Amino acid sequence: MEKLCSQIDALNERVGTFSAWLILIMTVITFLVAVLRYGLNFGSIALQESITYLHAFVFMVAGAYTLKHNEHVRVDIFYQGMSLRKRAWVDLLGCVLLLLPFAGFIAWTSFDYVISSWKYLETSREAGGLPLVFILKTFIPVMATLLILQAISMAGRAWITLRK
């Protein structure tokens, strides 16, 4: 179980590191858009959409990384003061009863949505926009899969803690 958890954590760590570099790229493109628009009076829908695409991509794939590092939004009024064993129970039950069903629901319900987008090779509605909407939508079930994997890792680590 420990090996599986470590492999999942390593995957989400690599995805999170990759996402961090995309944030840097997104920042540079945002700067470029501002300079082009206000300095040279030139606008580009494709550049503007690339910022939105990168933001959506980072948001979707970095969720599991954020969960791995326990940096997600949590109301931890009670959790902070709990013993390690009680925290393990909260993590285990939260993953099994809440996170796994939620992420599974997202994966299941997004499947037809993504397939439909691929079927038509969906593109931007804007003239001059990016022709990659179908690829962007593909990352919805990818996000759900990464969350499912991280939930398995968290639940596995909680189980290991409880067995000690």
Side-chain angles (χ1 to χ4, degrees):
M1 178 61 91
E2 182 67 39
K3 184 178 178 183
L4 175 65
C5 293
S6 294
Q7 289 173 336
I8 292 170
D9 288 348
L11 169 68
N12 281 323
E13 191 67 34
R14 285 191 302 274
V15 169
T17 300
F18 178 70
S19 296
W21 284 105
L22 290 180
I23 292 170
L24 177 63
I25 293 168
M26 184 172 49
T27 304
V28 169
I29 293 172
T30 302
F31 175 76
L32 181 62
V33 166
V35 168
L36 289 174
R37 176 179 289 158
Y38 298 110
L40 302 174
N41 201 26
F42 174 79
S44 169
I45 298 295
L47 272 178
Q48 290 175 354
E49 281 190 357
S50 70
I51 297 166
T52 304
Y53 277 49
L54 286 169
H55 184 264
F57 179 80
V58 167
F59 177 82
M60 286 189 279
V61 301
Y65 171 83
T66 305
L67 182 61
K68 175 189 176 291
H69 286 278
N70 205 20
E71 295 294 329
H72 56 287
V73 176
R74 174 192 297 216
V75 180
D76 59 355
I77 297 168
F78 303 109
Y79 190 83
Q80 279 293 9
M82 290 181 176
S83 68
L84 192 60
R85 188 165 176 79
K86 286 182 181 176
R87 285 183 186 190
W89 273 113
V90 169
D91 288 343
L92 179 63
L93 293 174
C95 285
V96 171
L97 299 176
L98 300 172
L99 183 54
L100 284 171
F102 174 72
F105 177 77
I106 290 173
W108 177 260
T109 57
S110 68
F111 187 75
D112 287 339
Y113 181 67
V114 172
I115 293 298
S116 175
S117 187
W118 271 87
K119 184 177 176 182
Y120 299 107
L121 297 176
E122 187 176 359
T123 63
S124 175
R125 294 179 183 177
E126 302 295 327
L130 297 175
L132 305 171
V133 173
F134 64 101
I135 292 174
L136 183 62
K137 287 182 178 181
T138 301
F139 284 95
I140 298 169
V142 170
M143 171 197 68
T145 302
L146 290 171
L147 282 173
I148 288 167
L149 289 172
Q150 193 59 45
I152 291 168
S153 174
M154 284 181 65
R157 292 193 188 282
W159 180 252
I160 290 167
T161 299
L162 291 170
R163 298 218 38 209
K164 289 181 181 177

